Amino acid sequence: MKLSLDLRTALTQTLTPQQIQYLKLLQLPVIQLEQHVMQEIEQNPMLEDFSEGDLFDDEVGNLNEFDDPDGDGPEAEITDRKTEIQERQMISDEGDPFEFHKMIYQDDQSYEPKPKNSQWDEEDSEPFQIKDAESQIEDLTSQLKLTDLSEEEQVFGEQVIGNIDNDGYLRRDLAEIIDETNMLIAEINFNNKKIIREISNLSKSGIKDNPARQFALSEDSKTVLQDIFIQNPDLMDKVSDTAKNYIAENIADNGNYEMLKEIDEQKAEKVLREIRHLDPPGIGSRTIQECLVSQLEIIPRMNAAEKLAMLILTDTYDAFAKKHFHVITKTLGVTDDYLKEAIEVIRSLNPKPGGGDYQSEINTVIPDFVIEIDDESKELTITVNDSRIPSIKLSQAYEKLKKEAQFKRSNKETKEWIRNKYEDAKFLIQAIRQRKSTMLKVMTAIAYLQKGFFFEGTIGLKPLIYKNVAEKTGLDISTVCRIVNGKYCLTPFGTFELKFFFSESLPTDEGEEVSTKVIKQVIQDIVAEESKKKPYSDDKISKLLKEKGYNVARRTVAKYREQLKIPVARLRKEL
């Protein structure tokens, strides 16, 4: 092998850091863009937020004046003041390190103290009330403490509550929770024995003939005080020797304290049953059958329909889950009317007791675009929703810093830092403006290609892919994809994700292309109008679609039905 050096010329495309940052801004939804701009305002002193005026300030400075390469600028005019410049340089670099920050962060508005005769004095003002939202885990733990469970069962119950999923079900293996609880109980017993042993040793070395014994604590007080030190073992290291002698004299009684017992499967089932009867009922269930049965068990006096519902869930649950109603009527010996009443009772139960409290807080969708129909011209009006984005402009501190730099009050590193922050601020303002223009161009193209939707609804959708929008706008497909992803649009028919307007196509009998979303909407309409006693099969839906002019195979119908989360015909059957 030989090593050699050779020169080659090649053309490559590279992205500058500014271009990368712009692409990231283009991809951010309005909420994340708001957070990004607020973060930049906090980190960059060259940016400031203002409530009035134009969003983009055209008055920008030129940092080239900092360099002054020709020597005919401000420096040439003050050569006879060299000593004064050196003194200022010394003060700036060594004397007062806070001068620079004071100049940047000083407030232009003078402080006005609050008048003393205001309506609310500081002492009399009403404090801001912060809502104390208790989590459902804390609520369940508080309810559990009010039950008659033993101490070890309470410990196991807290472990179970901590393992409940968001929808309110306990999906972890019960044996694992039992093993963890027993290990925790063993640790608690070990610490209790250690504390009791220390108390016992103190009692043996304590003062025997104490005249203050007549003021000794009662037996109940001894028990309470001993429990306090057992539950808080760190307290023993914080008390003084006199206090330890007092503890030894009064609460040394290690023979009567009962250690926690281990949890077995029988006790575990008892605790689980107690938790399922807390509020909300059914919480901590392992199956949906157990959840529904638990909700019926708390009813004090069940009527005939509720008793039949209990029998259905306990004796014929498999037939009920498969909607084999004839099997239920034959097994339980009831009529269809009684069965229908019992099923209505079951439908009134909550299959997900965890509900909204256990789920994480749902964020409100803020649309990035707003499309309205003008009442007079009947044309579409498209706007970019940038009302949440802070109005930013270059800070007035820039002019002050430029003047200070002319008098050599800033060193080279400070100048470079100012230059970088200035360039970042100027680029951010330009990038936000360019982002708005690009997003408006893409949304206008989508609205033009899907104009029928905004007047007719889903039935007016046409097949659309990213390539169509890219050709219409002259942008790259990747740019269109960045704008579409994660963005929402407020329309006369509701708020939709931009991906909703893109779909594949299927040919009709007339040879026209129709959007797959139109096919799905027709399937939903057919299922909504079918007889619930005899629902349509996928093959029947396929035939009905062909009658409407849509040539869709049975397998395609099944795929679209699953995407729409519509169950099969057997599970859609009702009495």
Side-chain angles (χ1 to χ4, degrees):
M1 296 180 64
K2 295 182 180 180
L3 299 177
S4 62
L5 296 175
D6 52 350
L7 297 176
R8 297 180 182 179
T9 58
L11 294 176
T12 58
Q13 291 183 345
T14 58
L15 292 176
T16 63
Q18 290 79 9
Q19 290 175 323
I20 296 175
Q21 184 180 359
Y22 169 69
L23 293 177
K24 291 181 178 179
L25 290 178
L26 201 63
Q27 195 170 359
L28 294 178
V30 62
I31 296 294
Q32 297 182 14
L33 179 62
E34 176 192 7
Q35 297 173 353
H36 178 77
V37 174
M38 292 297 297
Q39 184 178 3
E40 288 295 328
I41 293 175
E42 294 177 358
Q43 296 178 355
N44 193 340
M46 291 297 179
L47 287 172
E48 65 179 15
D49 186 6
F50 67 102
S51 58
E52 297 180 358
D54 189 12
L55 174 62
F56 304 103
D57 189 3
D58 295 332
E59 298 180 2
V60 295
N62 185 6
L63 276 176
N64 292 332
E65 297 177 12
F66 282 140
D67 298 333
D68 194 20
D70 298 331
D72 54 356
E75 184 179 358
E77 299 177 0
I78 56 174
T79 53
D80 57 339
R81 300 170 58 189
K82 183 176 181 181
T83 304
E84 182 180 356
I85 293 175
Q86 291 176 350
E87 292 176 357
R88 293 188 179 185
Q89 182 74 22
M90 185 181 302
I91 293 175
S92 176
D93 295 341
E94 300 178 2
D96 189 1
F98 299 101
E99 184 69 25
F100 171 73
H101 299 280
K102 177 183 177 182
M103 179 177 55
I104 290 182
Y105 295 106
Q106 65 182 355
D107 195 356
D108 295 336
Q109 299 179 354
S110 59
Y111 171 73
E112 297 182 0
K114 182 180 177 181
K116 295 182 179 181
N117 58 350
S118 59
Q119 182 178 2
W120 297 99
D121 293 333
E122 185 176 357
E123 296 180 356
D124 298 335
S125 61
E126 296 182 357
F128 180 75
Q129 297 293 331
I130 301 177
K131 182 180 179 181
D132 186 12
E134 185 181 40
S135 66
Q136 195 163 11
I137 293 181
E138 296 173 346
D139 181 40
L140 292 173
T141 304
S142 300
Q143 295 182 54
L144 187 67
K145 293 179 179 179
L146 300 177
T147 60
D148 296 332
L149 298 176
S150 61
E151 189 171 351
E152 57 267 15
E153 291 172 344
Q154 291 277 354
V155 174
F156 176 75
E158 293 179 3
Q159 295 296 314
V160 171
I161 292 174
N163 284 277
I164 295 177
D165 290 343
N166 291 340
D167 54 0
Y169 284 87
L170 179 66
R171 292 186 172 88
R172 192 180 178 190
D173 188 10
L174 187 61
E176 296 181 2
I177 303 178
I178 293 176
D179 293 340
E180 284 188 1
T181 305
N182 287 333
M183 293 176 60
L184 180 60
I185 289 175
E187 182 179 355
I188 293 174
N189 287 336
F190 176 79
N191 292 331
N192 292 347
K193 290 179 181 178
K194 181 179 178 182
I195 297 300
I196 293 174
R197 191 182 306 112
E198 292 181 5
I199 295 175
S200 178
N201 294 335
L202 287 173
S203 65
K204 294 178 181 179
S205 59
I207 302 174
K208 298 299 182 180
D209 299 326
N210 190 347
R213 287 182 179 274
Q214 55 179 325
F215 304 105
L217 298 175
S218 63
E219 294 299 327
D220 293 339
S221 300
K222 292 180 182 179
T223 304
V224 172
L225 193 57
Q226 179 168 305
D227 290 340
I228 291 175
F229 278 90
I230 288 176
Q231 295 174 5
N232 302 275
D234 295 337
L235 292 178
M236 288 297 296
D237 299 331
K238 300 178 180 179
V239 299
S240 61
D241 294 338
T242 305
K244 287 182 180 180
N245 289 332
Y246 178 79
I247 294 169
E249 289 285 329
N250 288 276
I251 66 173
D253 188 13
N254 60 329
N256 298 330
Y257 188 82
E258 185 177 358
M259 295 297 173
L260 301 184
K261 300 178 181 178
E262 289 190 350
I263 295 293
D264 54 17
E265 188 174 354
Q266 183 178 1
K267 288 184 178 181
E269 292 292 341
K270 173 188 174 183
V271 176
L272 283 178
R273 185 167 56 254
E274 197 73 33
I275 293 176
R276 290 197 300 269
H277 292 167
L278 298 177
D279 186 30
I283 194 77
S285 300
R286 289 163 289 185
T287 62
I288 188 172
Q289 178 186 11
E290 196 173 63
C291 175
L292 300 177
V293 170
S294 299
Q295 296 179 47
L296 290 175
E297 287 176 346
I298 63 171
I299 299 177
R301 295 181 180 179
M302 291 189 292
N303 54 32
E306 292 168 345
K307 291 180 180 179
L308 180 57
M310 178 67 79
L311 290 175
I312 293 173
L313 293 176
T314 54
D315 297 346
T316 60
Y317 180 76
D318 293 337
F320 171 74
K322 298 177 181 178
K323 291 199 172 183
H324 292 167
F325 299 125
H326 63 284
V327 177
I328 299 176
T329 55
K330 183 179 180 180
T331 303
L332 300 180
V334 295
T335 62
D336 291 344
D337 294 335
Y338 285 120
L339 180 59
K340 188 175 182 179
E341 293 180 6
I343 292 176
E344 289 298 326
V345 172
I346 297 175
R347 284 180 177 174
S348 65
L349 303 177
N350 184 10
K352 292 184 178 181
D357 290 335
Y358 258 75
Q359 294 176 346
S360 57
E361 184 179 356
I362 300 176
N363 295 325
T364 303
V365 174
I366 304 298
D368 300 83
F369 304 94
V370 179
I371 298 182
E372 299 174 330
I373 301 177
D374 187 80
D375 296 334
E376 297 180 358
S377 62
K378 301 299 179 183
E379 293 294 332
L380 297 177
T381 303
I382 305 171
T383 56
V384 179
N385 183 18
D386 56 356
S387 59
R388 298 180 61 94
I389 302 175
S391 302
I392 56 175
K393 68 175 183 178
L394 290 174
S395 174
Q396 297 297 328
Y398 166 71
E399 295 294 336
K400 300 176 183 178
L401 292 174
K402 184 172 65 175
K403 293 178 181 179
E404 292 297 324
Q406 292 174 355
F407 287 98
K408 297 297 183 180
R409 294 191 64 178
S410 300
N411 53 30
K412 184 178 180 180
E413 290 77 9
T414 303
K415 291 180 181 179
E416 187 66 23
W417 183 85
I418 296 173
R419 180 194 301 274
N420 293 335
K421 291 298 181 181
Y422 169 79
E423 293 295 336
D424 293 342
K426 186 172 67 173
F427 172 77
L428 180 62
I429 295 175
Q430 296 174 351
I432 294 177
R433 177 166 47 191
Q434 185 177 356
R435 173 187 181 272
K436 181 178 181 179
S437 176
T438 306
M439 290 181 61
L440 188 61
K441 183 185 296 185
V442 171
M443 190 67 242
T444 303
I446 295 175
Y448 175 79
L449 296 173
Q450 295 287 11
K451 191 173 182 180
F453 167 81
F454 300 98
F455 293 94
E456 303 174 15
T458 307
I459 199 68
L461 281 175
K462 295 181 179 179
L464 184 65
I465 57 177
Y466 291 151
K467 183 179 180 182
N468 302 137
V469 178
E471 293 175 352
K472 196 71 177 177
T473 58
L475 300 173
D476 191 80
I477 296 180
S478 61
T479 303
V480 176
C481 183
R482 284 187 176 92
I483 294 177
V484 170
N485 287 340
K487 308 294 192 310
Y488 289 84
C489 176
L490 177 61
T491 71
F493 298 95
T495 303
F496 297 90
E497 192 174 6
L498 293 192
K499 288 183 179 180
F500 172 80
F501 299 104
F502 295 86
S503 62
E504 298 177 354
S505 61
L506 284 176
T508 62
D509 293 341
E510 290 79 11
E512 298 179 357
E513 298 290 332
V514 63
S515 172
T516 55
K517 285 188 169 60
V518 175
I519 304 295
K520 294 179 181 179
Q521 182 63 43
V522 175
I523 293 176
Q524 282 184 320
D525 296 339
I526 292 175
V527 172
E529 296 173 358
E530 69 183 0
S531 174
K532 299 305 178 184
K533 293 184 178 181
K534 192 176 182 181
Y536 295 137
S537 62
D538 294 341
D539 187 60
K540 179 63 175 178
I541 295 176
S542 176
K543 293 179 180 179
L544 293 175
L545 288 173
K546 289 180 180 179
E547 294 178 2
K548 295 178 179 293
Y550 306 114
N551 191 9
V552 184
R554 183 192 62 82
R555 291 183 178 179
T556 307
V557 171
K559 181 179 71 172
Y560 291 167
R561 178 180 52 75
E562 291 176 356
Q563 292 176 357
L564 295 172
K565 297 182 179 179
I566 298 176
V568 296
R570 174 174 53 82
L571 297 180
R572 300 199 305 270
K573 184 178 180 181
E574 298 179 3
L575 289 176

